[in-house]
Amino acid sequence: MEGMNGRQSLKEKMVKNIKDYILKEQLKVGDKLPTERKLAEVYQVSRSVVREALSYLENTGVTESVQGKGTLVKAQDITPLIEGFLFSFQVNRGNLKDLMMLRLTFELAAIDVIERDETSLEAIERVLVNDASSFSIADDKAFHQSILEAVNVPLFKQMSAVVHAYFYQTPIKSSMIDNQLSIDDHQAIFDALKAKQFTKAKALLTQHLLRGAQFYDENCI
């Protein structure tokens, strides 16, 4: 047992060493790491320990092994991590209102970007729907996604996209009255943004999403 623990410790140390090397050398996505042999020599461990560490880093999305190129730094994708969190949230029957607050945080941050960068509102205006008879869950999704698109940060996009998608994976029943209410909310939020009344836009968005959380609780098929 001690030998197994000792080997695990060596692997963990090697994982940290490689991560530290990537940061110290300021390696970018696509940059190549030293060979197994070189890493083993530098850190005075066996190649099998290096191999285990590299395998762990590849499995956790830090690096990738490319035929003919070696081990490269990989673009980070936290989508599996967020999806795992949402699955656990479902299993443990988490409070949907709490999760909606996370979604709200993302969309409020997007409004801050719209205000600060004077982002064009054309993309939001294009997805507005006026007819309650044709309004669908896809239209609601498009409206909120158009707000999130204001933030051009990969990590933000990954996190917000998964949380956002969570609310649209379950079929929902809605009436014409519900549809009209969503249409009116969307229009009011857009009008506030267009008028540069960003505090008002945030208040309207908050009211809209919190009411949406209750609606999802009551109308999931």
Side-chain angles (χ1 to χ4, degrees):
M1 182 64 71
E2 290 181 359
M4 186 180 297
N5 288 340
R7 186 169 188 81
Q8 180 71 11
S9 179
L10 283 175
K11 187 196 82 170
E12 291 171 352
K13 288 179 181 178
M14 194 62 214
V15 166
K16 184 178 185 306
N17 286 337
I18 296 173
K19 287 181 176 179
D20 288 345
Y21 175 88
I22 292 172
L23 294 176
K24 181 180 178 182
E25 298 299 322
Q26 299 183 335
L27 299 186
K28 302 182 296 296
V29 172
D31 286 347
K32 183 179 177 180
L33 270 66
T35 63
E36 285 182 8
R37 176 176 295 180
K38 183 65 175 178
L39 288 170
E41 291 175 356
V42 170
Y43 295 103
Q44 295 295 295
V45 295
S46 68
R47 290 182 64 178
S48 62
V49 169
V50 173
R51 196 172 298 118
E52 289 177 12
L54 289 175
S55 177
Y56 174 85
L57 290 170
E58 183 167 2
N59 290 335
T60 53
V62 177
T63 63
E64 61 180 334
S65 181
V66 179
Q67 185 72 28
K69 293 185 178 181
T71 301
L72 311 180
V73 177
K74 184 179 180 181
Q76 295 303 294
D77 182 3
I78 64 167
T79 299
L81 178 64
I82 302 299
E83 288 177 341
F85 161 76
L86 290 178
F87 179 74
S88 296
F89 180 86
Q90 287 176 297
V91 169
N92 292 292
R93 291 174 170 75
N95 187 319
L96 190 61
K97 186 174 180 180
D98 291 341
L99 192 58
M100 185 64 89
M101 292 304 295
L102 179 58
R103 177 180 166 186
L104 176 61
T105 298
F106 287 128
E107 295 194 31
L108 292 178
I111 289 181
D112 284 335
V113 172
I114 291 172
E115 177 180 9
R116 183 176 65 249
D117 297 347
E118 299 185 353
T119 305
S120 171
L121 302 178
E122 290 182 5
I124 301 175
E125 187 172 21
R126 279 197 300 270
V127 299
L128 291 173
V129 175
N130 296 317
D131 185 1
S133 64
S134 65
F135 184 83
S136 69
I137 196 71
D139 295 315
D140 185 70
K141 182 178 181 180
F143 174 77
H144 291 281
Q145 187 61 44
S146 68
I147 293 176
L148 291 169
E149 286 296 324
V151 185
N152 191 27
V153 177
L155 183 61
F156 180 94
K157 285 181 177 293
Q158 289 177 25
M159 295 179 67
S160 62
V162 178
V163 173
H164 184 242
Y166 175 88
F167 291 90
Y168 298 98
Q169 65 185 3
T170 304
I172 298 292
K173 293 169 109 179
S174 62
S175 66
M176 290 280 284
I177 294 175
D178 296 323
N179 291 347
Q180 189 61 55
L181 186 58
S182 291
I183 288 172
D184 292 343
D185 282 354
H186 293 176
Q187 186 66 53
I189 293 167
F190 172 77
D191 289 344
L193 291 172
K194 188 174 181 180
K196 300 186 184 301
Q197 297 174 334
F198 298 107
T199 299
K200 180 180 179 181
K202 288 181 178 181
L204 291 169
L205 178 64
T206 300
Q207 181 183 42
H208 173 63
L209 287 181
L210 291 182
R211 185 168 60 239
Q214 182 177 353
F215 177 79
Y216 269 82
D217 266 339
E218 296 172 352
N219 295 277
C220 288
I221 298 175

